[in-house]
Amino acid sequence: MECATHTRGTVKMHADYIERSYGVPGIIYELSGDKWPPKMRVSGTRVTHKRPRTRPRSEDIDYVVKVRSTKQWKAIDKVWHCPTGDRTKHEIVGRSKNGDRTFLSSDRSFYAPGERHNSKRAVVCGDCGLLVFQLGKEACLVAGAETASNLCSVSASEVALVVLTQAHRRHNVKNDEADGLVARLVERITVLKPGGADGGY
């Protein structure tokens, strides 16, 4: 019992030192073999969404195209696939909380080293856009960084690795992969923010 207590104390002291010296918040959870603590997860990101009971009918699609989301629908090419969730235009037609049919897309900036300002814009489905926001917010909470300036710290390919795609329904998330991604985002945000390991550039 004393040995276990001593080990936990040693791990905590080591974690505190690394956190202070290298700016790695939450490292205690890595050193102790645990995943990021649940309280650091943004709840909406990790909720399991069941498959829809029914698919939209042709008249539902027509309503979305001609009435509800005409501008958004026309703005996206016919052969478009979400680059992170790999869904077609028809597959992202879903339902709102009120039961209405919806079509949501999101024009977002993604982390893209080598591109101008290390970012690149892409149109993704609304669910992927929300996931990007939630993962970025989650990482910022852990890193103690401003959310607004760090929401493009994740790349499109990284988001694609954690998405469990569902047609006509909110995406689910591969939690283990998402935990690893959040850890990488924390490191990236810590390095890129002013005063970070890269000297603030």
Side-chain angles (χ1 to χ4, degrees):
M1 184 68 177
E2 290 183 3
C3 182
T5 302
H6 175 72
T7 300
R8 285 196 297 270
T10 302
V11 170
K12 188 177 187 308
M13 288 176 60
H14 186 46
D16 289 342
Y17 171 76
I18 293 177
E19 185 168 331
R20 288 195 311 272
S21 302
Y22 299 98
V24 188
I27 191 64
I28 180 65
Y29 302 102
E30 291 290 304
L31 294 177
S32 62
D34 294 331
K35 295 184 176 66
W36 295 102
K39 67 179 181 180
M40 290 185 177
R41 290 178 174 174
V42 177
S43 59
T45 309
R46 310 299 181 89
V47 174
T48 300
H49 303 280
K50 296 180 180 178
R51 290 186 178 277
R53 295 178 180 177
T54 59
R55 291 176 174 271
R57 302 164 300 176
S58 59
E59 51 263 42
D60 294 327
I61 300 293
D62 286 342
Y63 173 75
V64 167
V65 174
K66 298 176 181 178
V67 180
R68 190 171 182 86
S69 304
T70 304
K71 187 175 181 180
Q72 278 188 301
W73 185 274
K74 288 183 176 180
I76 298 176
D77 192 78
K78 184 183 297 185
V79 296
W80 172 90
H81 278 68
C82 175
T84 49
D86 197 33
R87 294 191 297 186
T88 65
K89 288 174 67 172
H90 283 78
E91 288 175 331
I92 68 174
V93 173
R95 283 192 185 278
S96 68
K97 291 181 179 179
N98 297 326
D100 298 325
R101 288 294 178 184
T102 60
F103 176 82
L104 299 175
S105 61
S106 178
D107 186 344
R108 301 200 66 91
S109 289
F110 289 90
Y111 181 63
E115 297 286 341
R116 187 181 182 187
H117 303 305
N118 286 329
S119 68
K120 187 175 182 179
R121 300 196 72 86
V123 176
V124 297
C125 68
D127 293 333
C128 282
L130 179 62
L131 179 60
V132 169
F133 173 80
Q134 290 174 323
L135 289 172
K137 183 177 179 181
E138 191 172 337
C140 288
L141 286 173
V142 178
E146 292 290 334
T147 302
S149 60
N150 288 287
L151 289 181
C152 59
S153 59
V154 59
S155 70
S157 60
E158 288 172 325
V159 176
L161 292 176
V162 304
V163 168
L164 282 171
T165 299
Q166 295 192 106
H168 314 298
R169 188 74 170 186
R170 284 275 302 277
H171 292 320
N172 286 319
V173 177
K174 302 173 186 175
N175 276 319
D176 287 344
E177 285 82 353
D179 285 340
L181 175 55
V182 169
R184 292 195 299 276
L185 294 182
V186 169
E187 182 179 356
R188 186 177 298 158
I189 290 169
T190 302
V191 170
L192 293 178
K193 71 181 181 181
D198 66 348
Y201 294 99

